[in-house]
């Protein structure tokens, strides 16, 4: 089973940027989002508030990781790779803080959609995929860094957050907001787009009143604004504005 999970993790590490959006799109299109939990609009609103809080927690965690210590993402030639064993910053709090942030974002998105099938299937599927990816990375890191990585694993949890270590792990480090924007704008953008698209889908699925039509127009306007801002940051990045900030450690 472990060998199969390693192969599965290696595959998704390489193709996750294509596979993950496709999986989410298929789930969201196949099953319409909920409009009222147990016929209660109030419960639906509270569910959405909880979902947005979970998404925000994921984005904040990712921002904290990248703002304090950045490692080369995406491996090398789309294969698992690490030049150095990074243990400072949020990597002294959790061995996979970016993946924890990602899972919070995905779970929040699935919950925001609201259909129990999407929430359960999506959360379990992505949790399994990330566990496989982590197995593949751990195999590589254990072979490359040996006892140093074993000691790191004994001290820092794989998925949990050892918050008591945060102060020591970030001592002497400064949080860099511009680096967060430069390196994580695409994640922020895709998350906002998914939320806005889901909400638009929810509104469009019902018979639209004049009030709902106005709301739908606002959603489209926000979507256009997010796309425009994303394009601006991408253009600045291509011009080299963030080159110094995006250099990997």
């Amino acid at each position: 089973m472990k060998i199969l999970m390693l192969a599965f993790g290696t595959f998704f590490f390489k193709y996750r940027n294509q596979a993950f959006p496709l999986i989410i799109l298929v789930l969201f299109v196949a099953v319409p989002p909920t409009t009222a939990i147990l016929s209660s609009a109030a419960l639906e609103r509270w569910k959405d508030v909880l979902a947005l809080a979970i998404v925000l927690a994921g984005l904040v965690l990712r921002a904290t990781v990248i703002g304090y210590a950045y490692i080369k993402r995406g491996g090398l030639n789309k294969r698992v790779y690490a030049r150095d064993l990074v243990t400072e910053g949020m990597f002294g709090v959790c061995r996979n803080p970016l993946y924890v942030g990602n899972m919070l974002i995905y779970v929040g998105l699935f919950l925001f959609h609201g259909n129990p099938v999407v929430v359960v299937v999506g959360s379990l599927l992505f949790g399994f995929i990330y566990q496989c990816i982590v197995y593949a990375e751990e195999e590589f890191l254990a072979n490359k860094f040996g006892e140093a990585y074993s000691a790191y694993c004994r001290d820092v949890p794989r998925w949990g957050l050892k918050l008591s270590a945060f102060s020591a792990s970030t001592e002497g480090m400064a949080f860099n907001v511009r680096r967060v924007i430069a390196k994580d704008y695409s994640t922020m953008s895709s998350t906002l787009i998914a939320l806005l698209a889901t909400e638009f889908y929810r509104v469009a699925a019902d018979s639209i009143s004049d009030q709902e039509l106005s709301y739908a127009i606002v959603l489209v306007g926000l979507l256009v604004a997010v796309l425009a801002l994303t394009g601006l940051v991408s253009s600045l990045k291509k011009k080299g504005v963030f080159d110094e900030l995006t250099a990997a450690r």
Side-chain angles (χ1 to χ4, degrees):
M1 182 64 178
K2 182 70 175 288
I3 295 175
L4 182 61
M5 291 181 71
L6 284 171
F8 203 63
T10 300
F11 172 84
F12 274 99
F13 184 90
K14 184 175 182 179
Y15 295 109
R16 65 192 186 279
N17 290 338
Q18 296 80 26
F20 286 5
L22 181 60
I23 293 172
I24 293 174
L25 181 63
V26 170
L27 283 173
F28 280 32
V29 170
V31 186
T34 58
T35 55
I37 297 178
L38 300 176
S39 301
S40 172
L43 282 177
E44 182 70 25
R45 285 194 294 271
W46 279 111
K47 182 269 294 180
D48 287 346
V49 169
L50 176 60
L52 292 174
I54 294 172
V55 169
L56 180 61
L59 290 173
V60 169
L61 179 55
R62 283 184 58 88
T64 304
V65 176
I66 296 169
Y68 277 112
Y70 177 69
I71 61 172
K72 183 178 177 64
R73 291 182 293 177
L76 181 67
N77 297 324
K78 295 188 177 180
R79 296 177 181 272
V80 176
Y81 175 80
R83 184 179 61 190
D84 304 304
L85 180 61
V86 179
T87 61
E88 68 267 26
M90 284 300 292
F91 293 94
V93 176
C94 174
R95 296 195 330 248
N96 303 285
L98 286 172
Y99 291 164
V100 174
N102 290 349
M103 274 304 302
L104 287 171
I105 292 171
Y106 290 132
V107 170
L109 288 176
F110 297 142
L111 184 60
F112 188 75
H113 181 284
N115 188 285
V117 173
V118 170
V119 176
V120 174
V121 172
S123 298
L124 291 178
L125 178 59
F126 274 74
F128 175 74
I129 290 173
Y130 270 117
Q131 183 62 67
C132 292
I133 290 175
V134 166
Y135 279 163
E137 291 186 341
E138 288 178 345
E139 182 88 353
F140 172 86
L141 294 171
N143 289 333
K144 180 164 185 176
F145 298 108
E147 178 55 32
Y149 182 67
S150 297
Y152 173 59
C153 290
R154 289 193 295 269
D155 189 53
V156 180
R158 174 189 283 153
W159 292 113
L161 299 177
K162 187 180 177 183
L163 296 178
S164 60
F166 178 79
S167 179
S169 296
T170 58
E171 185 177 2
M173 302 175 69
F175 185 80
N176 193 322
V177 176
R178 291 181 61 198
R179 182 166 61 194
V180 173
I181 295 172
K183 294 305 305 180
D184 217 32
Y185 76 94
S186 60
T187 298
M188 299 175 197
S189 171
S190 59
T191 301
L192 287 173
I193 289 171
L195 289 170
L196 290 169
T198 302
E199 184 67 2
F200 183 84
Y201 184 9
R202 183 166 17 215
V203 172
D206 290 337
S207 55
I208 299 180
S209 64
D210 290 342
Q211 183 178 3
E212 289 172 329
L213 179 59
S214 298
Y215 181 45
I217 292 173
V218 170
L219 291 174
V220 172
L222 290 173
L223 182 58
V224 171
V226 170
L227 290 172
L229 187 58
T230 302
L232 175 62
V233 176
S234 178
S235 177
L236 292 174
K237 186 174 180 179
K238 288 179 181 178
K239 291 179 180 179
V241 173
F242 300 118
D243 280 356
E244 183 179 347
L245 298 173
T246 57
R249 290 173 59 83

